[in-house]
């Protein structure tokens, strides 16, 4: 099978051609902010992004018609269970409404949908960032006006859970585990019988402190800060996501730099490293409490899982759980999307259809 995978981010379009599970061509196409701003809104970037992908395929001597399937990372649409979805117009309209957030990956979904229609090729996405498999207990907070939502590294979480299930020699749906994505944001999820039933909201900075996220903040102090008159709403948002965590304390979001500063015995760096690992282990412990005796493993993924120091610190802090620890370092998003396409093509997973509320 020949598979085209697209994954569009804020300033790049990642594109890859796979023959079965092997990468044949791949590129992360950078988009200068000035060029993106000239397009108008995120939704107006479609023609610009389409040309970038088309030029990539031309350079590879390929056309959209040469593929058995086209797959995009999922977009911000109505929350629904994870899995493979056939992209339809209702899904695209849902993304474009902005009701569930606005993300450039709308353009990736529109691209594979429209090219799929034109050339008679299936177009799918899977495990979107707004996917929701929460148990009801995970949603309730102490304020009726606020509910916890499923928001985090859903694609990475599910892909890692499937890899661990394979290592255990079990079907994904028959496993329960804790998965920790360690990147610019950190998400720790409880997977029960193949479903992601609880997850800290890494997008908004909930959970452990991370390279760019503040993590959970004492509520009263946060309210006082919001109403201090020193910060606008947007400034407070940026403090929580983008300018929080390591960035706020140390001026860096680079894991390699943090480890180097720890090894140089820089006091603040050591404190930040230790606190982050403490908070990650604490969140893993919380998810272990959610799963109870059904937990079979812990998985680590994301760019920070490349760090031996980080992995070993987490291993030591969670050893008391007596669960095997599996490490799949890196983002692995393109690989995960390709794997989903193969499950679809081989009939190993039935696709779902998006429905609007």
């Amino acid at each position: 099978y020949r598979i085209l995978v697209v994954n569009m981010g804020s300033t790049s379009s990642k594109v890859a051609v796979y023959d079965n599970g092997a990468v044949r061509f791949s590129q992360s196409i950078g988009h200068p902010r000035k060029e993106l701003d000239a397009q108008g809104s995120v939704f107006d970037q479609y023609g610009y992004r389409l040309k970038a992908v088309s030029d990539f395929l031309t350079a590879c001597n390929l056309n959209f018609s040469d593929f058995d399937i086209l797959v995009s990372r999922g977009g911000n649409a109505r929350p629904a269970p994870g899995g493979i979805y056939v992209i339809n117009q209702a899904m695209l309209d849902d993304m474009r409404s902005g009701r569930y957030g606005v993300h450039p990956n709308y353009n990736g979904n529109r691209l594979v949908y429209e090219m799929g229609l034109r050339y008679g090729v299936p177009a799918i996405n899977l495990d979107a960032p707004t996917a929701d498999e929460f148990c009801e207990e995970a949603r309730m907070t102490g304020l009726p006006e606020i509910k916890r939502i499923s928001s985090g590294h859903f694609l990475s979480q599910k892909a890692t859970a499937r890899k661990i299930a394979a290592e255990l020699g079990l079907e994904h749906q028959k496993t329960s585990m804790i998965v920790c994505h360690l990147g610019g944001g950190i998400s720790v999820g409880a997977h029960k019988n193949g479903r992601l039933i609880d997850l800290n909201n890494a997008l908004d900075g909930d959970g452990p402190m991370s390279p760019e996220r503040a993590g959970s903040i004492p509520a009263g102090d946060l309210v006082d800060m919001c109403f201090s008159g020193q910060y606008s709403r947007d400034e407070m948002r940026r403090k929580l996501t983008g300018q929080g965590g390591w960035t706020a304390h140390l001026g860096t979001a680079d894991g390699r730099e943090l480890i180097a500063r720890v090894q140089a015995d820089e006091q603040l760096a050591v404190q930040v490293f230790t606190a982050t690992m403490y908070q990650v282990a604490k969140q893993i412990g919380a998810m272990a409490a959610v799963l109870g005796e059904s937990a079979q493993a812990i998985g680590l993924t994301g760019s920070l899982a490349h760090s031996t120091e980080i992995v070993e610190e987490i291993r030591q802090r969670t050893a008391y759980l007596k669960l095997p620890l599996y490490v799949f370092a890196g983002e692995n998003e393109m690989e995960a999307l390709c794997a989903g396409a193969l499950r679809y093509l081989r009939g190993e997973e039935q696709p779902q259809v998006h429905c609007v509320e």
Side-chain angles (χ1 to χ4, degrees), residues 283-333:
Q283 193 73 25
I284 290 173
M287 293 305 168
V290 168
L291 295 175
E293 294 182 354
S294 70
Q296 296 163 289
I298 300 170
L300 305 181
T301 190
S303 59
L304 296 180
H306 284 293
S307 167
T308 301
E309 293 82 359
I310 288 173
V311 169
E312 288 309 309
E313 186 72 16
I314 294 172
R315 188 190 304 276
Q316 291 176 27
R317 288 178 176 271
T318 59
Y320 72 96
L321 291 170
K322 298 188 179 349
L323 296 172
L325 182 73
Y326 295 91
V327 181
F328 298 97
E331 298 299 332
N332 300 319
E333 290 178 344

Side-chain angles (χ1 to χ4, degrees), residues 48 64 95 110 115 132 167 183 198 229 340:
Y48 174 83
F64 290 104
M95 292 179 195
R110 179 180 171 186
M115 294 303 105
D132 185 353
E167 291 286 337
D198 201 346

Side-chain angles (χ1 to χ4, degrees), residues 4 10 16 22 36 54 68 74 80 87 113 118 126 141 199 227 238 290:
L4 177 67
S10 57
L36 290 173
S54 298
D68 295 290
I87 300 173
Y113 172 70
R118 181 177 299 179
L126 60 139
T141 76
L199 179 74
F227 286 89
R238 287 195 294 272
V290 168

Side-chain angles (χ1 to χ4, degrees), residues 220-239:
D221 293 335
L222 181 61
V223 169
D224 291 342
M225 197 172 183
C226 289
F227 286 89
S228 68
Q230 298 180 53
Y231 309 100
S232 68
R233 183 179 185 276
D234 288 343
E235 286 171 335
M236 285 302 304
R237 279 282 183 181
R238 287 195 294 272
K239 277 186 167 293

Side-chain angles (χ1 to χ4, degrees), residues 42-43 76 95-104:
V42 163
F43 304 120
N76 290 31
M95 292 179 195
R96 192 175 179 107
S97 73
R99 182 178 175 186
Y100 307 100
V102 174
H103 194 279

